[in-house]
Amino acid sequence: MPDPAVPIAEIYSRTHREFASRAAVRDDRRGLSFAELGGEARKFANALKAAGVPADGRVVMIAPNSCEWVVADQGMALGGYTRIGVLPRLHASEVAQIATDIDPSLVIVDSEWLAENGAEWIPPQVKEILVLGEEIGLAEGHIPFAEFLAGGADAELPAPAPDSIAWVMYTSGSTGLPKGVLASQRSVGAMVRNGLEEVEFRRDDVAFHTAPISHFSGTIHINTNAMGGLNVLKPSFEVDEVIAVAEAGEVTVLPLVPTMITMVVEELGRRGEPEGGVGAVRMIPYAGSAIQPDRAARAREFFGDVMTQFYGASESPLPITVLRPEDHVDEIHAGGLSRLASAGRPAAHVDVKVIDPDGVELGPGEQGEIKVGGEQVAPGYWRQPEATAEVFEDGYVRTGDVGYLDEQGYLFILDRRKDMIITGGFNVYPREVENVISTLPGVREVAVVGAPDERWGEVITAVIAPEPGADLDAEAVTAHCRSSIGGFKVPKRVEFVEELPKSGVGKILKVKIREELWADRARRV
């Protein structure tokens, strides 16, 4: 048995001491050493205490990548508070659902996002709103982050309990409403331990982040931090900037989602022939969705043997499995799939099983539901005991993904029992989109599914049966969606049919719709 995982607060405190003089984080405005980061994190934690936030208080944070984001994140971990990182790409109504459910003590929000979306989504019990970025139109109760930070003391803090909740990560539920996945101090620490044992992060690494560090890129951020490396943060992804930074030679770790990899490789292809390496990049960690084997092979031509795929889930953070650089070969295995189509082998300290509907473990090549165990598994869902009991049991979680392990231990993910769509690295639950489209006049029935796409992995596809005589077109559907949900959830493809396929009891058969869209595809995620 491995030693128990170290809580994330202890990991952060160690880095502040051990790497004190080294550069820790840098954005477009400033940089912090590990000692400076530790000092500001402690000040933030003590400022929360001085503001009356309870020891287990929950703080919603919606902002792009920045040094302040990292200060707040680590400060909450050190102080035993719970961070709820929310994607700025969400619609204000979606953020309101999360904020209402989590009942926060405090909110941290980017000033531009606040100016664009307003503050109506903030629950009435939240009296103080910390604002990051430019001080645009601050209202009563709005406090600049720097001002709030100045009110805290750089004093040591008692260690949080290992089983206290460090994060809540929101994912979609079976009703289309958000569901909070809990992560404890210890389970986050286990995630870090597993990643460091599985993949070599170095003290001299420089990781360049263009994806939100509240999600996948944040795992790479923490692993880099834990080894004393430097994290360089950008608020958004720009192809030309990523290429320029990679070619400049400082960056060694370049976390991307498959959509980004495709865009970077396409642009590099327009500029010239591959040379088997770009700058000093030695690792491209990617996750969020599958990458087409031909795209992975093309990326290898340009970057060399640097691709590392992680498979993870909100309920069991990556790495569940890892496809190493040496595994990125187009080798066909007994099941007829390329190894590039696999998610890799189980990571250190992670137990991966494939089970039948009765929970019986299946053998190599037999298809079933993927079940994952280990200290990194979430304790459960926020205030949803029934949903927790349904998928969590004795340190294991049923992922809802369907696949098989081959004779060599490589995991192949074939489909999802759940209808979740992964597009561009973001999770979208069809019910959320269907709920919006169904309110559009003229829509009789709608089914939303994922269709295969070379760039996005999957694209959200709305199949609509309109009312007789209705004057509907794709533009009207997408415009209606943009008024209520985040842009990445808006269908990129809209089809109209007379009738949706149904079962004998009148249930819409999404499986038939997906079968037509995914014809000739072995892997359906």
Side-chain angles (χ1 to χ4, degrees):
M1 292 289 291
D3 293 333
V6 174
I8 187 60
E10 186 175 335
I11 293 174
Y12 286 150
S13 293
R14 177 187 59 79
T15 65
H16 300 154
R17 298 188 305 270
E18 186 174 336
F19 309 120
S21 62
R22 294 184 59 82
V25 62
R26 187 176 78 215
D27 61 19
D28 288 338
R29 297 183 302 105
R30 67 170 182 150
L32 295 170
S33 69
F34 278 91
E36 291 167 335
L37 173 57
E40 291 199 8
R42 290 187 294 272
K43 289 178 67 175
F44 184 74
N46 283 307
L48 288 174
K49 182 178 180 180
V53 177
D56 59 350
R58 296 168 297 282
V59 178
V60 169
M61 183 156 57
I62 179 165
N65 298 343
S66 69
C67 288
E68 286 73 21
W69 202 104
V70 178
V71 167
D73 182 44
Q74 294 201 10
M76 283 185 264
L78 295 179
Y81 302 102
T82 301
R83 180 260 282 175
I84 299 90
V86 179
L87 287 169
R89 296 184 63 177
L90 291 180
H91 192 277
S93 62
E94 297 169 307
V95 179
Q97 290 181 329
I98 292 172
T100 299
D101 184 62
I102 199 65
D103 190 23
S105 300
L106 196 82
V107 165
I108 306 171
V109 61
D110 175 67
S111 60
E112 291 186 10
W113 196 93
L114 185 63
E116 182 177 341
N117 293 278
E120 289 76 15
W121 55 274
I122 301 175
Q125 78 273 10
V126 177
K127 304 303 181 185
E128 294 182 325
I129 302 165
L130 306 190
V131 180
L132 293 173
E134 300 295 328
E135 298 178 14
I136 303 173
L138 296 184
E140 183 179 356
H142 294 187
I143 305 172
F145 184 84
E147 179 182 318
F148 184 83
L149 185 67
D154 182 2
E156 292 296 330
L157 298 142
D163 293 326
S164 62
I165 302 304
W167 301 344
V168 178
M169 177 78 75
Y170 271 84
T171 185
S172 295
S174 59
T175 62
L177 296 175
K179 184 165 53 178
V181 182
L182 306 176
S184 70
Q185 287 268 339
R186 194 194 310 277
S187 69
V188 177
M191 176 193 76
V192 177
R193 177 199 62 194
N194 299 354
L196 293 180
E197 290 195 26
E198 195 64 36
V199 178
E200 183 186 13
F201 286 85
R202 303 172 184 169
R203 185 171 299 190
D204 59 354
D205 272 331
V206 177
F208 187 72
H209 301 271
T210 58
I213 57 173
S214 58
H215 288 67
F216 153 65
S217 207
T219 303
I220 308 304
H221 172 274
I222 296 175
N223 287 346
T224 301
N225 178 276
M227 291 303 295
L230 168 63
N231 284 292
V232 180
L233 308 179
K234 291 290 179 176
S236 60
F237 171 78
E238 299 291 341
V239 174
D240 292 339
E241 182 179 38
V242 169
I243 292 174
V245 168
E247 291 179 336
E250 180 190 25
V251 170
T252 61
V253 179
L254 187 59
L256 300 169
V257 298
T259 303
M260 296 175 176
I261 294 173
T262 296
M263 295 170 71
V264 168
V265 170
E266 286 178 350
E267 179 58 29
L268 287 171
R270 284 190 284 268
R271 298 184 184 190
E273 294 300 315
E275 298 180 359
V278 177
V281 175
R282 68 171 191 84
M283 178 166 51
I284 297 181
Y286 67 97
S289 65
I291 188 170
Q292 295 297 323
D294 63 320
R295 299 303 175 95
R298 184 65 169 158
R300 187 182 181 206
E301 291 178 6
F302 280 97
F303 285 95
D305 292 325
V306 301
M307 306 282 287
T308 301
Q309 180 191 162
F310 294 101
Y311 163 55
S314 298
E315 292 83 354
S316 179
L318 58 87
I320 292 174
T321 59
V322 180
L323 190 70
R324 297 172 175 274
E326 59 268 25
D327 292 324
H328 278 71
V329 292
D330 198 10
E331 175 183 304
I332 305 300
H333 81 123
L337 294 179
S338 167
R339 181 164 293 171
L340 283 171
S342 84
R345 286 170 161 155
H349 310 303
V350 179
D351 188 26
V352 177
K353 299 178 180 180
V354 177
I355 60 173
D356 69 10
D358 296 322
V360 177
E361 186 171 2
L362 300 172
E366 296 183 290
Q367 297 181 16
E369 184 178 6
I370 299 166
K371 183 178 179 179
V372 179
E375 284 187 290
Q376 81 290 342
V377 170
Y381 296 115
W382 168 253
R383 292 178 175 172
Q384 294 203 31
E386 291 183 1
T388 296
E390 184 178 340
V391 298
F392 294 95
E393 182 181 17
D394 298 329
Y396 283 82
V397 61
R398 300 175 71 129
T399 66
D401 291 335
V402 174
Y404 65 91
L405 290 160
D406 72 5
E407 295 285 354
Q408 289 75 43
Y410 289 91
L411 179 66
F412 288 80
I413 307 168
L414 302 177
D415 211 334
R416 282 185 294 275
R417 287 181 59 195
K418 305 170 185 177
D419 288 330
M420 186 75 74
I421 300 168
I422 301 178
T423 179
F426 293 103
N427 294 343
V428 178
Y429 201 88
R431 183 69 63 84
E432 296 179 270
V433 187
E434 290 166 353
N435 288 345
V436 172
I437 294 176
S438 64
T439 65
L440 180 64
V443 172
R444 179 162 52 92
E445 293 179 320
V446 58
V448 172
V449 297
D453 184 81
E454 294 297 326
R455 167 165 288 189
W456 298 100
E458 292 179 280
V459 290
I460 298 172
T461 301
V463 183
I464 297 172
E467 294 176 351
D471 184 19
L472 282 177
D473 58 26
E475 290 184 2
V477 174
T478 56
H480 180 71
C481 290
R482 289 189 186 281
S483 69
S484 300
I485 54 177
F488 65 96
K489 299 182 181 182
V490 174
K492 287 186 168 60
R493 181 172 168 182
V494 179
E495 296 183 3
F496 295 93
V497 296
E498 289 186 6
E499 292 287 342
L500 295 175
K502 296 185 179 69
S503 68
V505 295
K507 182 179 180 180
I508 294 173
L509 296 175
K510 285 189 177 181
V511 65
K512 284 195 172 183
I513 299 173
R514 293 192 79 221
E515 281 176 354
E516 292 182 8
L517 296 171
W518 288 84
D520 302 323
R521 297 285 183 121
R523 181 168 173 171
R524 299 191 171 189
V525 290

